[in-house]
Amino acid sequence: MRTRIVIAVVAVAILPLCAVGIVLAALGAIPAGSQIGRVVVFAIAVSGLFGLLVGYLLVADLARPLRTITRVVERVARGDLAARIEVSGDDEVARLAESHNRLAGDLERRNRELRAILQAVESTSARDGVDQLTARAAADARLAFGLIDATVVLGDPATVPVEEIVPGDPLPVRAELRSGGEAIGIVAGHLPATRRWERGDQDLLDLFALEIGVAVRNAELFGQVERQNEQLVELDAAKDDFLRGVSHNLQTPLARIRANAEALAVAAGTDRRLAMIVEQSDRLSRMVRQLLTVSRLESGALHPRADVLALAPRIRRAWEALDSGTVDFRLEDRAEGWLAVADPDQLDQVLWALLDNAVKYGGGTPVEVTIAADEVAGRVGLTIADHGVGVATADRDRLFARFERGSGGSSEDGSGLGLYVSRELCRAMNGELLLEPVATARGAAFTILLPGEPGRE
């Protein structure tokens, strides 16, 4: 471009003189070798030099703002979107610079609005509640978009009339809050009368309203969940109170029924009906005790004692109390004098439940108990195994859940709390209850692990 401008200026300076010289020569007004011819040639040369100088200066003057524009465009290409072009004047180049500066200003303003929107969205939390969230959203909208005022109204947007635009008055703007395609409210406000509001600004306000709509819906859902959780906590507390009350109130009449049945059996001799009353009273007592234990476990009211116990005598007493009849019982003590640290009452409850399960699901097969000590871990373990069909693979993962029974049991076999209560009691004593892997020639096998210490010699 620079070369073309210089050539054009030189041509404008030289061509008229050349044309005049050619015309005069054609008319014979300039004799060959005359002084006039030399003057014409000199004038053409001077005009050419003058045109070259003028062309260079003109190109330099035109190229200066263009170089400025080029540098600014390069800065924009590198990411400096707010770079401005400083060009004075009122020509086309100045108007181009003014247009760019206006776009740069709009872009910078929208970047600020977008950053403010992102900060507002990041600061929202469903825990704040709908009222606090909408109040904060209105304040964020005023700050982000430079509004005179802003409000967030929840409900059907159609119920909020659209304000008429009056020249010279603050400009009303609004956007719908939406969540899942449903309009749940609007954010509305007013701009200063001198402020321009373009499509890009409205798009940002729509984006802000969309994010606030999602946050409001999340806050509503979170509030519902919180209220439901509070209701569940209240219901759970009422359930615990009910179980504790029922358990305590049933213990006394069951004890009296059993005592009277035993007294009648002594007076009347052998009577299967009285034995059945005693047996069922014991069964109900165990179920009530399990329910009471579950309630105490879940409420955190269970605080086991830490006594040092010999396991073998307690296992034998629990087996004798079970009175399993003709089922063979074998006890192998390999603990080498190690003692367990546990709560006596809770340990008896666990032993009774596991031995009862071994008899019930073993189908009359021998019940074997093995006691062993792990000196490295400082624990004592006892394994109770039967020789029945064992635990089905489908039942192994859910066997310790509340109100769960093995697939081989029926609804009359118990409450489904025995193993759940037993494991929780073991854990309360800093121990564990495990279901052993399937082994050949053995049914179900459960291992109780408890803290231990070597016996004193």
Side-chain angles (χ1 to χ4, degrees):
M1 182 185 71
R2 183 180 304 175
T3 303
R4 289 197 297 270
I5 292 176
V6 171
I7 292 175
V9 173
V10 172
V12 169
I14 294 178
L15 288 179
L17 290 176
C18 292
V20 171
I22 293 172
V23 171
L24 293 177
L27 295 176
I30 303 176
S34 65
Q35 186 69 22
I36 297 176
R38 287 192 291 273
V39 171
V40 170
V41 173
F42 178 77
I44 292 174
V46 171
S47 298
L49 293 174
F50 179 77
L52 185 63
L53 177 62
V54 171
Y56 176 79
L57 295 176
L58 180 61
V59 168
D61 184 63
L62 290 176
R64 188 181 303 108
L66 293 179
R67 284 195 297 270
T68 302
I69 293 174
T70 301
R71 287 195 298 270
V72 172
V73 170
E74 291 175 351
R75 288 174 57 188
V76 172
R78 290 194 297 268
D80 185 7
L81 302 182
R84 301 176 65 84
I85 301 175
E86 301 298 337
V87 175
S88 59
D90 57 355
D91 55 5
E92 286 77 6
V93 175
R95 287 195 292 271
L96 174 63
E98 181 183 359
S99 177
H100 169 84
N101 293 338
R102 185 171 61 253
L103 291 175
D106 291 342
L107 183 59
E108 184 178 9
R109 173 170 53 82
R110 286 175 187 150
N111 283 339
R112 289 197 305 268
E113 294 173 355
L114 184 58
R115 286 193 296 270
I117 291 173
L118 294 177
Q119 292 175 358
V121 171
E122 291 176 355
S123 65
T124 59
S125 173
R127 298 178 180 274
D128 294 338
V130 175
D131 294 338
Q132 183 177 351
L133 186 62
T134 53
R136 183 183 298 172
D140 291 336
R142 288 194 297 271
L143 179 63
F145 297 97
L147 301 177
I148 300 174
D149 55 48
T151 56
V152 175
V153 181
L154 300 181
D156 186 0
T159 61
V160 182
V162 178
E163 295 187 46
E164 182 180 356
I165 299 177
V166 179
D169 288 350
L171 177 67
V173 295
R174 61 186 282 165
E176 291 187 355
L177 307 181
R178 306 189 70 85
S179 176
E182 176 187 2
I184 61 173
I186 65 165
V187 54
H190 295 85
L191 283 168
T194 56
R195 163 76 183 276
R196 290 183 299 107
W197 186 257
E198 299 178 352
R199 182 60 195 173
D201 300 301
Q202 184 63 42
D203 290 340
L204 287 178
L205 183 61
D206 290 337
L207 175 62
F208 175 77
L210 178 63
E211 296 294 337
I212 296 302
V214 173
V216 168
R217 179 53 53 87
N218 288 340
E220 292 175 345
L221 295 176
F222 184 82
Q224 294 177 5
V225 172
E226 285 285 288
R227 290 189 294 272
Q228 292 173 355
N229 285 339
E230 291 175 359
Q231 294 175 357
L232 289 176
V233 170
E234 293 175 358
L235 291 174
D236 189 62
K239 180 261 297 178
D240 291 340
D241 292 339
F242 173 76
L243 288 178
R244 283 192 291 269
V246 168
S247 301
H248 285 297
N249 291 332
L250 286 179
Q251 288 284 11
T252 300
L254 285 174
R256 289 179 179 177
I257 291 172
R258 189 181 192 282
N260 289 328
E262 290 178 343
L264 288 173
V266 171
T270 303
D271 189 333
R272 178 56 186 163
R273 292 173 295 178
L274 294 176
M276 186 176 296
I277 293 175
V278 173
E279 179 183 339
Q280 294 301 317
S281 297
D282 289 339
R283 179 186 176 196
L284 286 175
S285 296
R286 291 194 299 271
M287 294 178 65
V288 169
R289 187 176 181 184
Q290 287 177 346
L291 289 173
L292 181 60
T293 303
V294 170
S295 177
R296 295 176 64 193
L297 283 168
E298 294 184 347
S299 64
L302 189 67
H303 302 291
R305 304 199 319 267
D307 293 345
V308 180
L309 309 170
L311 292 179
R314 305 200 75 85
I315 295 171
R316 290 192 181 93
R317 283 198 298 269
W319 179 258
E320 292 171 359
L322 189 61
D323 193 15
S324 58
T326 59
V327 177
D328 291 338
F329 176 72
R330 304 167 190 167
L331 174 60
E332 183 180 0
D333 188 355
R334 290 187 255 165
E336 298 180 353
W338 271 64
L339 304 175
V341 180
D343 184 292
D345 293 334
Q346 293 181 15
L347 179 58
D348 288 343
Q349 186 173 347
V350 174
L351 291 174
W352 202 98
L354 294 180
L355 290 172
D356 183 56
N357 273 355
V359 172
K360 184 187 303 181
Y361 294 101
T365 59
V367 176
E368 298 179 351
V369 179
T370 304
I371 306 174
D374 185 348
E375 299 181 7
V376 176
R379 297 190 303 184
V380 177
L382 64 96
T383 301
I384 300 175
D386 60 60
H387 291 77
V389 296
V391 180
T393 303
D395 295 336
R396 297 182 70 88
D397 293 335
R398 63 181 182 86
L399 201 60
F400 290 100
R402 288 191 302 175
F403 306 111
E404 291 288 351
R405 304 178 186 86
S407 57
S410 65
S411 59
E412 298 180 355
D413 287 337
S415 61
L417 291 171
L419 290 177
Y420 168 76
V421 170
S422 297
R423 170 176 274 187
E424 295 303 317
L425 288 177
C426 289
R427 289 176 174 176
M429 295 183 289
N430 296 319
E432 186 58 273
L433 175 60
L434 306 173
L435 173 61
E436 294 294 330
V438 178
T440 305
R442 187 183 70 183
F446 294 89
T447 296
I448 301 173
L449 297 176
L450 294 170
E453 59 181 47
R456 297 177 181 176
E457 298 181 357

